[in-house]
Structures are given as C-alpha cells and as structure tokens.
Amino acid sequence: MVLTLGLLGLDGVFRMTQHNSLSPWLPVAVFAFYAVLLARTVLYLRRARTLVGARGVTARRALTERSRAWHDIYDIRAEPVPNALAAARKWITFLYDTDGRRFVLPHLDDWQLDDPPAEVAALREAAARHRGMAWERRPEVEARIRRRAGHRKAWERAFTGGIIAFGCGFLLWVALVIITSHPPTLLLFLWMPLGSFAALAGLLHWRWSPRSPGPCGSRSVLHPASGAPGCGRHGPWVGCGAWAVSRAAQGQRA
C-alpha cells in the first residue's frame, strides 16, 4: 500500500511539472526521498534485531545501534500501543535506562511473538543474575520516565497540530486561488504550520512539566505479573525469532 501511494505521488508530481512551471528538481527530490525511504526499510528488515548477552542489550536498527550494559538498564517493558489500528502492532517492547530514557527493542512485538509480555518477563528473569540487582521500582527513575514521557507526548501533539494547520492552510489556499490571483502561499504553507507547532509545543511542555503523563500518554503502562513482561517460551537465552541471544552465560557456567 505504501509503495502504491508512493508511485501515485511520483506520478502526480511529474504531471504537475509537465503542466506547471515548477522546478525540475522537484520530481528528482521526491524520487530521492522515496528511494531513501525504501532503502531504509530494506536495511531495517535485514539488519534490525535485538541482541542480548552477558554484558547487556543491543538494539540494532537500519544504520545505527544502541547498547546498554546491564547495570545501566532500569527496566524492560512490553507496553500496549494505545488506539492501535487492526493491522498495526499491539505491543512494543522498550528498554528504559537509569536516566529515564527509552528506546525500542526491534521485533520484540506481537508481529514476531505470540505473547510479548510473557517473553519479556522470562528475559528479565534470565538476565537478573547479570544485573547484580533486583528488578525493583525506584521512585526517582519513575519520575524521570514520566517527565520524559510528558515531553515526548508534547512533541507528538505539537507535530499533529502542525499537520492539521498545514491541511487547513491548504484548504484556505484553494479557496483563495479561486477568488484572488495572489494567495499568501508562504504564510499558509510554512509560517502558519510552524507557528502552530511552536505554540503547541511550548504550551504542552509547560502544561505537562509539573505532572507528566505515563509512558503511553494518559494511560498507565500495562506491566504484567511481576512488574514486567518477558521472553521465554523457548527457555532463557534461546533465540525467539525476534531476538538473537548470546549463550555466553551458559558457556561461563559450564
């Protein structure tokens, strides 16, 4: 579906350049954008994985990697996606560090696993002895997580507001084209969306800084059973299709 929409978009741009005095670089730029997007998707499908070993966890994406040692990992949580579409993922797994930052662990979701919360719970259980500490809640880290979640949600809502402003500006531009020969194109397509984004970002950051919503917005995070979800029907340190796990621990114990 995405490829079809991309081809339709390219076709529309080429038709516009043929009948209007648009820059010849526009179709090239659009084609380059879709090519980069396609290349990134292919790389992600080939490279992305979650690597778990005795030293910590590494999330490998299309071009980058993010790693955390076990002593820097605060929690691993399989969180439900609020208001997910029928064809979208219902669960996503996040790694939280001791600073309250988080990042996604690729493929630890319900597209790859039958029961992501149970898988993550078993992963936490298998990794407990490498951390040197229990998986316990710490109020100061939870406060950092809520604060960062509030700022993240503020940026998301501000971006959505900018997109809505852009759509309204487009409708207004169409109406003005009919009644005038010089509509304020730059104002409607650039400054109004940017102004809406900046205003909403500032307002929402100010509003949510005292009491930030939970990591999933206004909803509390579903944290099953022992306070976390996990990886495990195949036993600890065995690849679950979605994540490749090192057997260094078993080798050391042997």
Side-chain angles (χ1 to χ4, degrees):
M1 180 178 179
V2 175
L3 180 60
T4 302
L5 292 176
L7 293 175
L8 290 174
L10 285 173
D11 179 70
V13 169
F14 280 113
R15 290 177 183 275
M16 289 175 61
T17 55
Q18 290 176 355
H19 297 89
N20 298 278
S21 58
L22 297 178
S23 171
W25 288 103
L26 180 60
V28 176
V30 174
F31 177 80
F33 171 78
Y34 281 115
V36 170
L37 187 63
L38 178 62
R40 182 186 179 279
T41 303
V42 172
L43 281 174
Y44 184 86
L45 293 175
R46 291 181 62 86
R47 293 190 74 250
R49 64 195 63 188
T50 297
L51 304 173
V52 182
R55 294 185 176 181
V57 178
T58 298
R60 180 182 296 172
R61 293 184 288 267
L63 298 173
T64 61
E65 291 184 359
R66 298 185 69 175
S67 300
R68 292 292 186 274
W70 285 118
H71 64 269
D72 293 325
I73 297 175
Y74 171 68
D75 204 356
I76 301 174
R77 299 175 180 177
E79 300 181 2
V81 180
N83 304 318
L85 299 176
R89 293 178 296 181
K90 307 300 188 300
W91 290 89
I92 299 178
T93 301
F94 294 96
L95 182 151
Y96 288 86
D97 62 22
T98 52
D99 289 330
R101 296 183 175 87
R102 75 175 189 178
F103 55 85
V104 175
L105 297 181
H107 300 314
L108 281 177
D109 52 48
D110 55 310
W111 284 359
Q112 302 288 338
L113 304 173
D114 294 333
D115 190 354
E119 296 286 348
V120 176
L123 171 60
R124 286 160 45 93
E125 181 180 354
R129 57 197 178 93
H130 296 289
R131 297 182 72 242
M133 64 185 76
W135 294 99
E136 58 184 10
R137 296 294 184 93
R138 283 180 264 171
E140 69 278 6
V141 181
E142 292 293 335
R144 295 189 198 113
I145 291 175
R146 289 192 299 270
R147 183 167 59 251
R148 292 184 184 279
H151 290 306
R152 186 167 54 248
K153 185 60 64 176
W155 288 120
E156 292 173 0
R157 298 285 174 83
F159 179 79
T160 301
I163 295 296
I164 294 174
F166 181 86
C168 294
F170 174 76
L171 295 177
L172 184 57
W173 179 82
V174 171
L176 292 176
V177 164
I178 298 174
I179 61 177
T180 180
S181 58
H182 299 288
T185 304
L186 194 62
L187 173 64
L188 297 176
F189 286 167
L190 180 62
W191 299 120
M192 190 168 76
L194 286 179
S196 301
F197 174 81
L200 282 173
L203 176 63
L204 293 175
H205 279 292
W206 169 79
R207 179 189 175 191
W208 284 341
S209 57
R211 56 181 194 283
S212 301
C216 288
S218 59
R219 301 186 180 188
S220 59
V221 176
L222 179 59
H223 215 133
S226 60
C231 182
R233 67 174 179 274
H234 306 287
W237 307 109
V238 179
C240 300
W243 52 286
V245 181
S246 169
R247 292 183 178 269
Q250 294 181 357
Q252 291 173 2
R253 184 167 57 182

